[in-house]
Amino acid sequence: MKVAIVGGTGYGSIELIRLLQMHPHVEVSAIVSHSQSESALADIYPHVTGVLNYTLESMDIAKIKESIDLVFFATPSGISMKYAPEFIENGVKCIDLSGDFRLKNLDEYEQWYKGSPAPKTFVESAVYGLSEFYENQIKSASLIANPGCYPTATLLAILPILKLGIIDPNTIVIDGKTGASGAGRGLSLSTHYTELNDNVRAYKIGEHQHTPEMEQTIYTETNQRTKVTFSTHLLPMTRGIMCTIYATLNEPLSTADVLQQYREFYQNQPFVRVRSEGNLPTTKEVYGSNFCDIGVHADDRTGRVTIVSVIDNLVKGASGQAIQNMNIMNGWNQTTGLMQLPVYP
């Protein structure tokens, strides 16, 4: 199958390229970059020298739609909404790694993303690509709204016990931490080495654009309107997300009881690994992989549960999950091209 990647110079794109190199059923036939067209990929990312020989192309929908089966959009928000509809109308499937098609409420998109939303018909037809929960819808989809990195880590952690009625949804507090690659390759003061090194920074408190995405999915899965408290922090590391989530238990349960519920819920999901009691995951243990590792502690003293969820923000939080969704769309095993061990140490 031939695929194109739009947004060829970003971290999401180069991670797609790395992972798709190991996929037995896929050929990357075009890499599109508006800002760097006609440049050699190896000039932008020298680590591919001698391995990949791509020249970045400008966007040519007429050319791409004739030779490509699927397009990945690894672009900032506001880009895919301009191009994906024409590809879809011409029978080319699309997987969007930005937020353009995630929020069904267009007013919410304007509020949180500070821009005009995508066409309503395409937003409504887009399938939210949280692979472990929407496999049946993904199978027949033409447009996938790939989840954000924080929502992936958070929703995989809390949806099982929300659906089972174990926690009070109105008590959810999400403490999120990410590495600098989550901010992309562009330069900013907060990701400047001297600002980032030996420092931890809270950012977008009360206004992070992933907040309504999580609340929307919680409502979809539980039919309960919930407002979560979501705080994010930038850490001096390259990759990784850790979400530490707190909620009140609806009834007294031990850590072993809660863990058993997770194991049963995810027993057929190869990329969610539930840790044993007393064993909490770290970001290094999923580095470079498509795994989400989950650890739990139920506190009988406070009646609350703490869930620790870790992912690699560029893989399970972006490109890896996009490939997982592509596998589902094509009837391939979800793990095809993705079952690498994490890079450790």
Side-chain angles (χ1 to χ4, degrees):
M1 193 177 87
K2 294 185 177 182
V3 304
I5 298 170
V6 179
T9 60
Y11 292 142
S13 175
I14 197 64
E15 196 69 351
L16 276 170
I17 293 165
R18 178 180 76 88
L19 295 169
L20 289 171
Q21 281 297 111
M22 297 176 280
H23 201 289
H25 307 316
V26 173
E27 174 189 342
V28 178
S29 296
I31 303 174
V32 176
S33 171
H34 174 73
S35 62
Q36 302 272 6
S37 61
E38 309 304 322
S39 299
L41 182 65
D43 289 341
I44 299 166
Y45 286 107
H47 71 285
V48 309
T49 300
V51 181
L52 302 176
N53 191 32
Y54 291 105
T55 298
L56 303 183
E57 306 176 17
S58 58
M59 175 65 82
D60 185 340
I61 294 179
K63 176 185 174 183
I64 293 173
K65 72 183 183 183
E66 292 301 321
S67 58
I68 297 297
D69 302 297
L70 183 144
V71 177
F72 291 99
F73 284 91
T75 52
S77 294
I79 304 298
S80 59
M81 68 172 69
K82 298 177 182 178
Y83 298 110
E86 188 169 347
F87 283 118
I88 298 295
E89 289 170 346
N90 283 276
V92 179
K93 296 182 178 182
C94 295
I95 299 178
D96 179 30
L97 280 69
S98 81
D100 280 3
F101 299 98
R102 292 175 190 156
L103 299 182
K104 301 302 183 183
N105 185 321
L106 303 188
D107 291 335
E108 282 195 336
Y109 182 92
E110 287 194 56
Q111 175 189 348
W112 291 87
Y113 282 85
K114 313 301 182 188
S116 299
K120 183 177 181 180
T121 54
F122 290 94
V123 173
E124 290 176 345
S125 66
V127 172
Y128 188 61
L130 191 63
S131 308
E132 284 73 16
F133 281 83
Y134 301 114
E135 181 178 355
N136 289 334
Q137 295 95 315
I138 292 166
K139 285 178 181 178
S140 57
S142 295
L143 174 59
I144 298 293
N146 217 57
C149 47
Y150 279 124
T152 295
T154 298
L155 293 169
L156 290 176
I158 63 172
L159 285 181
I161 54 176
L162 275 171
K163 289 172 70 69
L164 292 168
I166 291 174
I167 60 173
D168 180 351
N170 295 308
T171 65
I172 296 171
V173 176
I174 306 154
D175 179 359
K177 299 178 178 68
T178 186
S181 61
R185 206 180 192 201
L187 301 177
S188 68
L189 181 62
S190 63
T191 55
H192 190 294
Y193 178 80
T194 53
E195 300 281 339
L196 180 66
N197 186 49
D198 289 334
N199 199 13
V200 177
R201 182 191 301 272
Y203 69 99
K204 289 188 177 180
I205 300 298
E207 58 182 21
H208 200 288
Q209 70 272 16
H210 287 166
T211 304
E213 181 181 339
M214 293 187 283
E215 293 175 349
Q216 172 182 274
T217 308
I218 291 170
Y219 175 70
T220 299
E221 289 298 306
T222 67
N223 202 34
Q224 296 184 75
R225 297 286 183 192
T226 302
K227 293 188 184 301
V228 300
T229 298
F230 178 41
S231 300
T232 51
H233 305 80
L234 180 63
L235 270 62
M237 62 184 189
T238 301
R239 289 175 182 247
I241 277 182
M242 174 180 283
C243 286
T244 306
I245 303 154
Y246 310 92
T248 300
L249 292 163
N250 285 329
E251 59 182 271
L253 289 171
S254 68
T255 299
D257 291 334
V258 180
L259 283 171
Q260 183 58 31
Q261 298 290 344
Y262 276 96
R263 290 194 189 97
E264 292 177 5
F265 195 94
Y266 285 124
Q267 61 183 329
N268 297 317
Q269 298 297 340
F271 290 118
V272 179
R273 305 189 298 189
V274 180
R275 295 298 185 86
S276 58
E277 187 170 356
N279 183 351
L280 298 176
T282 70
T283 58
K284 196 74 169 178
E285 291 155 357
V286 296
Y287 197 100
S289 80
N290 199 50
F291 292 111
C292 174
D293 285 10
I294 295 173
V296 173
H297 175 71
D299 191 337
D300 57 4
R301 185 180 69 87
T302 62
R304 289 193 289 268
V305 64
T306 301
I307 311 122
V308 180
S309 175
V310 298
I311 62 171
D312 185 315
N313 55 293
L314 294 178
V315 189
K316 185 59 172 169
S319 302
Q321 186 159 221
I323 294 170
Q324 186 179 354
N325 286 327
M326 177 193 68
N327 288 339
I328 295 170
M329 294 167 80
N330 287 281
W332 303 327
N333 191 300
Q334 288 191 37
T335 62
T336 305
L338 289 173
M339 210 58 179
Q340 305 92 341
L341 276 175
V343 177
Y344 196 95

